Amino acid sequence: MDKYGMLCENIMVVFVEPETPGNIGFLARTMKNFGMERLILINPCRLEDEAYYHAMHARSIVDNAEVYPSLKEMLKALNPDFLVGTTGVPGGSYNVERIPLRPSQLSESLNPSASTAILFGREGDGLSNNEIDLCDVVVSIPTSREYPIMNITHAAAIIFYEIFRGREFPCEGLEEASGLEKNLLIDEMDNVLSLVDMPEHKRRVAARVFRNILGRAFITAREAHTLKGVLRRIKNHLKDV
Amino acid sequence: MDKYGMLCENIMVVFVEPETPGNIGFLARTMKNFGMERLILINPCRLEDEAYYHAMHARSIVDNAEVYPSLKEMLKALNPDFLVGTTGVPGGSYNVERIPLRPSQLSESLNPSASTAILFGREGDGLSNNEIDLCDVVVSIPTSREYPIMNITHAAAIIFYEIFRGREFPCEGLEEASGLEKNLLIDEMDNVLSLVDMPEHKRRVAARVFRNILGRAFITAREAHTLKGVLRRIKNHLKDV
C-alpha cells in the first residue's frame, strides 16, 4: 500500500458534537471524495434524513460512523497516536501559545503509518480550550480577517485536499508533454523563425515568447505532436519559397 | 493594493444554473471567507431562505448577486479577460483534449490585474461541453477515483484556498521563532550537553535530535525565549556541581 492508501486507512475523522445532520452528511461525502472512510461522532445530534441526503454516495460512512458520548471516552477507547485539532480563530481564542499549522504544514507532519485523529467541531463554538490542549498540533486555514470562520465541512475539504494533494491525478490518457517533446517543438519553431525575414533581435524575442508560452500552457503530448507537425509543414513551405 | 487585494477585486465567481438555494449560500460564505464579493448567478433557482441562512455573514453577497439569463449574456455584458472552468471529471466527459489544471497551477496562472471569471456548475451535470470549450483553462481537483464528484461549494473552497494560499496568515502576535533564535537555543543546548557526562557520539546524536525536533516544531519566539532561559539555568546548575 502506498503512502496515500496508508493515510486513508489510518486517519479517523472526528466530529465533536455536531449540531446539524446536514454537516455530518457533507463531512462524510468530503471524506469519501478523498478516500477516507472512518468517521467518529462525539455526542452527535440525531441523524436525520439530511445527513444521508448530503452524504450522497457516502451514506455508508454515516451508517458506519462510530459514536462516543465524549471525546475522553473516544480517546480512551481508540488511543490515536497523533491528535490534530482544527480552529478557525488562531491565537486569540485559547491560552495555549501555539502556532497553528497551515494545512500544508500539517500534511508534511503526518506519519502515514500512525493512527491519526483529526478533530472538527463544534459548528457554533469550535473546540474548547481543553480539547485543543489535548491535541499534538492545531491547524488553521488562512482566511480573510473580516470573516475567517468557515463552515466546518468546507474547512475539512481544504485540510483533506492538502493531505492528499501529492496523490497522482487520474487523467485518462491526457499527460503533459515531456521536457524533451517541448524542446523538439521549440527547435522546430527556431527552424521556422530562421527562414523568416526578420531582424535577429526580433527573432530572439519571438523565440523567447514561444518558449514562455509553451512553458505556461501545460500542453499534452498529443498537442505537442500536432503543433510540431504544423511547424514542420510551415518550414517545408518556407524552404520552397 | 497588494496582489491578493487585486485578486479579490478582479475575480467574479459565476454559479451556472444553481439548483439548490443552500449551495448559493455556502458559495457566498466561502467567497467571503477568502475576501471575494462578486457573485454572478446564471439562470438560478429561486433564492429562498436557505440561501441566506447558509451564507451566514455573507448575506450581502447573495443580495448583491448579479443575475443573467444565460452564460452568453453574461459574457457579452462583462467580457472577462480570463475564463476559468471547473470540472469534477477530468478528461472523460468532454471532447476537448486539454489537461485540467490542478488548483495550484490555476493559482500560478492567474493575473491579478485581469478580470477573471471562475465558472462553477451545475450541481447535477457540471458545465456543458460548450461551456468548457469557451474557457481559457479548466481546473479540476485531484480526488479519489472511487468517488471524485465533490459538492460544488466544497470544490470552490479548495480552489479559493489555493488562489489565496500565499496570503499572510493573521496570527495575532504568535510568530514562529527566527532561524537566529533557534540557533541560539541550539547553542545553549550544546552548552548543556558539554557539561553532562556522556560519550561523545551520544552527545552528537542528542544534539542532532534536539535540532531536528526544533526544526519540526514551529515554535514561537516566546517559546524559544522560555526554553533558552531554562537551558541557561540548567547550565548554571551543572557548572556549580
Side-chain angles (χ1 to χ4, degrees), chain B residues 54-236:
Chain B
H54 286 310
M56 300 285 284
H57 297 286
R59 278 152 189 266
S60 66
I61 292 180
V62 180
D63 273 329
N64 297 327
E66 298 155 60
V67 178
Y68 288 89
S70 70
L71 183 61
K72 219 170 137 188
E73 296 281 324
M74 184 284 273
L75 292 174
K76 217 169 102 187
L78 303 178
N79 193 24
D81 297 321
F82 196 62
L83 194 59
V84 179
T86 56
T87 169
V89 253
S93 66
Y94 51 91
N95 296 320
V96 191
E97 290 215 5
R98 183 142 42 160
I99 299 179
L101 303 189
R102 287 175 177 247
S104 54
Q105 293 171 320
L106 171 70
S107 175
E108 286 163 27
S109 65
L110 289 184
N111 175 355
S113 53
S115 70
T116 297
I118 308 179
L119 307 185
F120 295 96
R122 303 171 178 74
E123 287 103 326
D125 300 326
L127 297 171
S128 71
N129 290 354
N130 287 344
E131 287 158 353
I132 290 282
D133 277 356
L134 294 173
C135 295
D136 294 296
V137 298
V138 179
V139 64
S140 190
I141 294 165
T143 42
S144 151
R145 278 160 213 257
E146 277 91 63
Y147 186 32
I149 305 300
M150 301 189 71
N151 168 275
I152 224 159
T153 68
H154 293 82
I158 289 169
I159 290 168
F160 299 161
Y161 161 77
E162 272 289 1
I163 294 173
F164 293 97
R165 74 183 277 146
R167 188 160 47 181
E168 209 187 307
F169 200 6
C171 212
E172 301 185 16
L174 294 183
E175 275 148 42
E176 196 174 349
S178 67
L180 176 65
E181 287 163 323
K182 285 193 187 176
N183 282 335
L184 289 172
L185 195 49
I186 288 167
D187 289 346
E188 207 61 71
M189 184 64 176
D190 287 344
N191 288 335
V192 167
L193 287 172
S194 71
L195 296 169
V196 175
D197 184 29
M198 65 197 295
E200 182 56 27
H201 70 279
K202 290 206 175 171
R203 190 174 286 140
R204 276 205 305 274
V205 171
R208 180 78 257 164
V209 164
F210 185 70
R211 210 161 306 177
N212 289 349
I213 291 172
L214 277 192
R216 280 195 310 263
F218 307 102
I219 64 172
T220 64
R222 205 183 303 174
E223 285 169 341
H225 184 77
T226 304
L227 270 184
K228 207 158 49 142
V230 170
L231 289 172
R232 194 173 304 124
R233 276 158 206 274
I234 293 175
K235 183 181 72 182
N236 293 339

Side-chain angles (χ1 to χ4, degrees), chain A residues 23-223:
Chain A
N23 278 337
I24 298 175
F26 275 132
L27 187 61
R29 177 171 177 181
T30 308
M31 288 170 62
K32 199 168 167 77
N33 287 146
F34 291 94
M36 288 169 293
E37 308 244 305
R38 192 159 177 201
L39 175 63
I40 292 161
L41 302 174
I42 308 295
N43 186 29
C45 57
R46 268 180 70 95
L47 288 175
E48 288 165 22
D49 286 353
E50 223 191 341
Y52 294 94
Y53 174 72
H54 286 310
M56 299 285 283
H57 297 286
R59 278 151 190 267
S60 67
I61 292 181
V62 180
D63 274 330
N64 297 327
E66 298 155 61
V67 178
Y68 289 88
S70 70
L71 183 61
K72 219 171 136 188
E73 295 282 323
M74 183 284 272
L75 292 174
K76 218 170 100 187
L78 303 178
N79 195 24
D81 297 320
F82 196 63
L83 194 60
V84 179
T86 56
T87 169
V89 254
S93 68
Y94 50 91
N95 296 321
V96 191
E97 291 216 4
R98 181 140 46 159
I99 299 178
L101 303 190
R102 285 174 178 249
S104 54
Q105 293 171 318
L106 171 70
S107 175
E108 286 163 29
S109 66
L110 288 184
N111 175 354
S113 53
S115 70
T116 297
I118 308 180
L119 306 186
F120 296 97
R122 308 171 175 74
E123 286 104 326
D125 302 325
L127 298 171
S128 70
N129 290 354
N130 288 342
E131 286 158 353
I132 289 281
D133 277 356
L134 294 172
C135 295
D136 294 296
V137 297
V138 178
V139 64
S140 190
I141 293 165
T143 42
S144 151
R145 278 160 213 258
E146 277 91 61
Y147 186 31
I149 305 301
M150 301 188 71
N151 168 275
I152 222 159
T153 68
H154 292 82
I158 289 169
I159 290 168
F160 298 161
Y161 160 76
E162 272 289 1
I163 293 173
F164 292 98
R165 72 184 278 147
R167 189 160 45 181
E168 210 187 308
F169 200 4
C171 211
E172 302 185 17
L174 295 183
E175 274 148 45
E176 195 174 348
S178 67
L180 176 64
E181 287 163 322
K182 285 192 185 176
N183 283 335
L184 289 173
L185 195 49
I186 287 166
D187 289 347
E188 206 61 70
M189 185 63 179
D190 287 343
N191 289 335
V192 168
L193 287 173
S194 70
L195 296 169
V196 176
D197 184 28
M198 65 197 295
E200 180 54 28
H201 70 278
K202 289 205 177 175
R203 189 174 288 139
R204 276 206 306 273
V205 171
R208 179 78 257 165
V209 165
F210 185 71
R211 209 161 307 176
N212 288 349
I213 291 172
L214 277 191
R216 281 195 309 263
F218 307 102
I219 65 172
T220 64
R222 204 183 302 174
E223 286 169 341

